[in-house]
């Protein structure tokens, strides 16, 4: 009976998408914005986006409908404001955006819906110059620390500080993006920096030393990015939105299989990060490889974004509380799992997929 009910719901959802799609002509293009590395004047994408491109299924499906797939490369610095502007004026249709910037954008009235949640997220690192005598965060109290404010890793790092009875005000914060922060550590201009996987590159060069990472913290402290879409595109083109969501989940499923790890590292290394760095970024991670790529459930999302909203409000990053619930359009993720016969693949999503396609 449960299987019959699940199939009936899936059929009903498919009919609703089809009826809505008939009311609007297909768009000329599907524009997806994501932070990317530029090589030889051309953007190179890694991770899930890179796999979607390599797989070719989405581009083929869109081409059959007369729709052009466009990837918009964004620089690491300033990606958030560009996404917000693109969502506000509909110059982009979808974007991969970090969780804290999404809270700031949502509280500021930027339209958008979350269609595919990210997995467990990426690790962040606290790095000091090689010659530093600091061995713990307590040793750095009152010193210069590079941290890009308002970005996803701020929330993770602040949670770490709170676990040690510290706060950002206990340090002299230099608002620098990770790339500039890494250079500042190398040059001895700061006493420490909160970085991403480039922390390992600094160790390789002998100019930096990692003294802490989120591998030693709670799983909810990581840098999390989700796939968001504009309200207007999702409302006018639900069938096309479903194609994108299905391609995204399909890519996450492919990467999550251990036999594809080597191919994943080779693919992602094209986007500017050495394969050895990518591998070390994952070594010693307490979250199993398969589960790292599982989209978060609605329950997990609501709890995570509520904590983010509370943090942003307390630190005056937003003026009013933000509730993620109205922005959740994860029915597209649930339907993708059904379409791909992956309803039972990630245990945390089984109940949600069965009851809310």
């Amino acid at each position: 009976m449960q299987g019959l009910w699940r199939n009936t719901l899936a059929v009903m959802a498919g009919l609703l998408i089809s009826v809505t799609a008939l009311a609007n002509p297909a768009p000329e293009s599907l524009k997806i914005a994501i932070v990317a590395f530029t090589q030889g004047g051309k953007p190179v994408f890694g991770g899930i986006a890179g796999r979607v491109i390599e797989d070719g299924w989405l581009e083929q499906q869109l081409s059959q409908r007369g729709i052009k797939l466009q990837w918009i490369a964004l620089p690491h610095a300033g990606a958030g404001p560009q996404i917000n502007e693109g969502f506000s004026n509909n110059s982009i249709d979808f974007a991969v955006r970090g969780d804290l910037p999404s809270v700031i954008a949502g509280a500021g009235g930027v339209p958008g819906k979350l269609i595919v949640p990210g997995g467990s997220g990426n690790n962040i690192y606290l790095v000091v110059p090689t010659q530093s005598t600091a061995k713990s965060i307590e040793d750095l109290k009152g010193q210069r620390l590079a941290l890009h404010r308002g970005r996803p890793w701020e929330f993770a790092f602040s949670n770490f500080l709170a676990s040690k009875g510290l706060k950002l005000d206990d340090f002299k914060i230099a608002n620098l993006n990770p790339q500039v922060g890494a250079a500042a550590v190398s040059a001895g201009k700061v006493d420490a920096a909160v970085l991403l996987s480039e922390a390992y590159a600094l160790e390789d060069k002998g100019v930096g030393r990692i003294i802490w990472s989120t591998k030693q913290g709670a799983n909810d402290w990581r840098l999390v990015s989700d796939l968001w879409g504009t309200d207007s595109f999702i409302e006018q083109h639900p069938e096309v939105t479903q194609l994108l969501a299905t391609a995204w989940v399909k890519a996450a499923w492919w990467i999550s299989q251990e036999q594809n790890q080597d191919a994943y590292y080779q693919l992602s290394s094209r986007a500017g990060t050495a394969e050895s760095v990518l591998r070390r970024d994952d070594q010693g991670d307490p979250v199993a490889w398969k589960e790292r790529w599982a989209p978060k459930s609605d329950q997990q999302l609501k709890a995570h974004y509520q904590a983010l909203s509370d943090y942003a409000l307390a630190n005056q990053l937003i003026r009013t509380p933000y509730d993620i619930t109205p922005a959740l359009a994860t029915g597209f993720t649930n339907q993708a799992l059904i379409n791909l016969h992956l309803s039972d693949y990630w245990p945390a999503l089984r109940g949600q997929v069965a009851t809310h396609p």
Side-chain angles (χ1 to χ4, degrees), residues 35-300:
V35 171
F37 174 77
T38 300
Q39 190 173 53
K42 295 182 179 181
V44 184
F45 300 91
I48 290 181
R51 175 56 191 170
V52 169
I53 294 171
E54 184 178 68
D55 180 56
W57 180 84
L58 177 61
E59 185 172 19
Q60 179 186 49
Q61 292 295 315
L62 294 175
S63 179
Q64 291 174 0
R65 294 163 173 79
I67 305 170
K68 182 180 180 181
L69 177 58
Q70 292 182 259
W71 295 92
I72 301 173
L74 301 176
H76 285 270
Q82 290 188 46
I83 291 173
N84 294 344
E85 182 179 354
F87 270 32
S88 296
N89 62 23
N90 292 312
S91 61
I92 58 176
D93 305 313
F94 296 90
V96 176
R97 186 171 62 188
D99 49 11
L100 183 55
S102 294
V103 167
I104 296 172
V110 176
K113 294 285 191 297
L114 194 164
I115 67 164
V116 182
S120 65
N122 300 102
N123 289 301
I124 68 168
Y125 300 86
L126 181 62
V127 183
V128 298
T130 304
Q131 68 275 16
S132 172
T133 59
K135 296 181 179 180
S136 68
I137 187 63
E138 290 86 353
D139 295 335
L140 294 168
K141 188 174 181 180
Q143 297 187 36
R144 298 165 299 172
L145 192 151
L147 170 69
H148 201 182
R149 300 298 309 274
R151 303 305 299 275
W153 44 90
E154 177 182 337
F155 178 65
F157 183 65
S158 293
N159 276 324
F160 167 56
L161 292 182
S163 73
K164 298 295 184 180
L166 299 169
K167 54 186 182 299
L168 291 179
D169 290 343
D170 290 322
F171 305 86
K172 298 174 182 176
I173 301 295
N175 188 10
L176 304 174
N177 69 49
Q179 291 71 38
V180 178
V185 168
S186 301
K189 300 295 185 181
V190 294
D191 300 297
V194 178
L195 305 177
L196 307 182
S197 60
E198 60 265 327
Y200 289 106
L202 293 188
E203 284 199 332
D204 288 345
K205 295 175 183 177
V207 296
R209 177 167 50 87
I210 298 170
I211 64 171
W212 174 83
S213 80
T214 42
K215 296 176 186 179
Q216 303 161 248
N219 291 340
D220 200 40
W221 289 2
R222 299 160 181 261
L223 186 166
V224 178
S225 297
D226 306 302
L227 180 62
W228 289 74
T230 62
D231 292 343
S232 60
F233 191 98
I234 294 171
E235 181 180 348
Q236 294 174 25
H237 309 292
E239 181 184 7
V240 180
T241 301
Q242 186 60 63
L243 288 174
L244 174 58
T246 300
W248 216 259
V249 172
K250 182 183 178 185
W253 163 76
W254 183 88
I255 296 172
S256 74
Q257 300 172 74
E258 290 190 10
Q259 66 266 29
N260 293 328
Q261 273 188 288
D262 288 342
Y264 161 74
Y265 287 128
Q266 292 171 10
L267 167 69
S268 291
S269 66
R270 301 173 196 163
T273 302
E275 187 174 330
S276 62
V277 170
L278 292 171
R279 289 180 180 276
R280 278 179 290 167
D281 191 26
D282 291 327
Q283 286 174 354
D285 197 303
V287 181
W289 180 255
K290 175 181 174 180
E291 299 310 316
R292 285 195 63 182
W293 300 96
K296 291 185 183 297
S297 67
D298 285 359
Q299 183 178 3
Q300 290 173 314

Side-chain angles (χ1 to χ4, degrees), residues 314-335:
N315 287 272
Q316 300 181 331
L317 297 175
I318 59 176
R319 295 182 179 181
T320 57
Y322 175 70
D323 180 13
I324 187 68
T325 304
L328 291 181
T330 50
F332 290 102
T333 297
N334 299 337
Q335 188 62 50

Side-chain angles (χ1 to χ4, degrees), residues 242 245-246 249-250 253 295 330-346 349-350 352-353:
Q242 186 60 63
T246 300
V249 172
K250 182 183 178 185
W253 163 76
T330 50
F332 290 102
T333 297
N334 299 337
Q335 188 62 50
L337 290 166
I338 293 171
N339 293 346
L340 295 167
H341 306 289
L342 297 174
S343 301
D344 296 323
Y345 185 70
W346 284 300
L349 294 173
R350 286 172 182 166
Q352 178 175 299
V353 174

